Amino acid sequence: MTHSLPEGALPEGARPVPAAVPGTGAPSVAPDEGSLRLLQVTLPVANVALYLLWLGVGSFLLPIQVARITGTNDTAALSAASTIGAILATVGNPVFGQLSDRTRSRYGRRAPWILLCALLGALALVAQAQAAGIAALGLSWGVVQFIMNGYQAALTAAMPDRVPASRYGTFSALVGLGVPLGTIVAALVIGGVPGTKFGRDGVIGGFGGRFAGENGYYLIAAIVVVAAIFFTVLSPDRDARQLPRERFELKAFFGNFWVSPRQHPDFCWAFVSRLGVMLGYFVVLTYNMFLLADHIKIPQHDLLPTVGFLMIVNALCTVAASVLIGPLADRTGRVKPFVLASGVLAALALTLPMISPTEDGMLAYNIVGGMAFGAYLAVDMALITKVLPRTADAGKDMGVINIANAGPQILAPTVAGWIVAAGGYEALFPMAALVSLVGALVVLRVRGVR
């Protein structure tokens, strides 16, 4: 239940958390326009740092480390390293989300967790850089994922906490930029791009492989900490000390994670839809390096730059589609048609490498698939924010829904490993297309959103 505070109840200089419109998560008191404009910068930057971690480690550093430990492109070892910590990572989002909902500090509910998780996550990344075996690598990666899902849960709650419903499409697109921009930074810094693609000699970025190992972990750790400080200092949370407090009961704490499909069907269908679309996308993305090496037969000396180039092409197309569709969704007041169209387009994109299993086929896939994913990201957060069950639990509920976002990134190597083991790399594309299409079609079951 949302409560209003009596006038003058806050300490001098403190700003109350505005009451929320029931059922939407949107603040009923219009936020200051200057603060919103600043949030349009700080929120994407903090999100880019997060996805630089997910994609830089998951798509580059983790496969590189597995190859160095095992001496081969061992898909089973990559799958094992990703699976060991998957359970820890999956529970991290809702646990930290609910903890932030209950936090009552002068720095707000979310900021303390964003900073704490950024610092602990950075330390865990440093430890992962030193892992010398697959078990140690998987365990350390699981700890990183668990902690950084806490960062993500608190960060994504900023949208229902602070953004009015009329701006959901725009902010959803800006938050969605975290994936493509994080991809671009990871590709340029860790992989590099063949200069020949742009009429130049040599490799653009890559830094001679300087960050394709331990240094890559250290760099990402530093960027995460800096981004967390940037966000919490320039877009500070509101004083939460006078918010109503609930008595802590362990049974109630864990019981609160359950969101009843009967009582909140729209939330549950939105969860399933996101899970499908994201899993279909990341099943292919996380196996990019091994797929290009063993299936497309890219020479070893060209592998990292080729991976970097394709990821950047994908990311640029994602950005272009996202910035176009987000404001368009705000103007039309509709999100479901864009989710459906993006899923169908993603499924079609995945047929291109099946027709042409070449570098050109992968380029075509990344162009069309990037556009589809950008359209999806532009409205995904808008859809989710509109179906949150209870405004008082925004952090926990966003944490639950983020399982459908982070979970596919975490589980994709495992799922892809099973698919490759059963049907070879050729089976990845039709399976990913099917999962993406089903995820998009499920959005039709969400009744409360146009």
Side-chain angles (χ1 to χ4, degrees), residues 63-87:
I64 290 170
Q65 204 165 357
V66 166
R68 288 178 177 172
I69 291 171
T70 63
T72 63
N73 291 336
D74 191 336
T75 57
L78 177 59
S79 177
S82 301
T83 303
I84 290 173
I87 295 176

Side-chain angles (χ1 to χ4, degrees), residues 191-336:
V193 180
T196 54
K197 304 292 186 182
F198 303 96
R200 296 179 56 184
D201 295 329
V203 175
I204 301 172
F207 302 96
R210 183 178 304 168
F211 297 105
E214 288 185 21
N215 289 338
Y217 284 108
Y218 304 150
L219 178 64
I220 291 173
I223 290 174
V224 166
V225 172
V226 170
I229 295 172
F230 178 77
F231 177 79
T232 54
V233 171
L234 295 184
S235 293
D237 208 347
R238 295 177 175 87
D239 192 312
R241 286 176 291 179
Q242 297 301 319
L243 283 178
R245 298 173 183 268
E246 296 181 22
R247 181 181 176 181
F248 181 84
E249 295 180 0
L250 190 63
K251 182 178 179 180
F253 179 84
F254 286 105
N256 195 36
F257 291 128
W258 172 249
V259 179
S260 170
R262 184 184 297 274
Q263 296 178 15
H264 305 288
D266 282 355
F267 179 84
C268 295
W269 285 122
F271 178 95
V272 174
S273 177
R274 176 189 268 199
L275 184 70
V277 173
M278 289 291 185
L279 184 58
Y281 179 78
F282 283 104
V283 157
V284 174
L285 182 65
T286 55
Y287 256 41
N288 241 358
M289 188 175 298
F290 289 178
L291 189 154
L292 288 168
D294 298 335
H295 181 59
I296 307 299
K297 306 299 183 183
I298 301 297
Q300 188 65 35
H301 63 275
D302 289 333
L303 184 58
L304 272 179
T306 301
V307 173
F309 171 70
L310 292 177
M311 290 180 70
I312 287 176
V313 168
N314 184 293
L316 290 175
C317 292
T318 300
V319 170
S322 186
V323 298
L324 174 67
I325 298 299
L328 182 60
D330 278 343
R331 287 198 294 271
T332 62
R334 294 177 177 272
V335 296
K336 283 166 63 175

Side-chain angles (χ1 to χ4, degrees), residues 394-418:
K396 182 269 297 182
D397 290 331
M398 291 301 286
V400 170
I401 209 75
N402 277 337
I403 293 174
N405 187 37
Q409 297 171 56
I410 296 161
L411 296 175
T414 303
V415 175
W418 294 338

Side-chain angles (χ1 to χ4, degrees), residues 161-183:
D161 281 354
R162 308 189 199 182
V163 178
S166 61
R167 305 283 282 278
Y168 279 175
T170 298
F171 270 86
S172 181
L174 289 171
V175 170
L177 291 178
V179 176
L181 294 182
T183 299

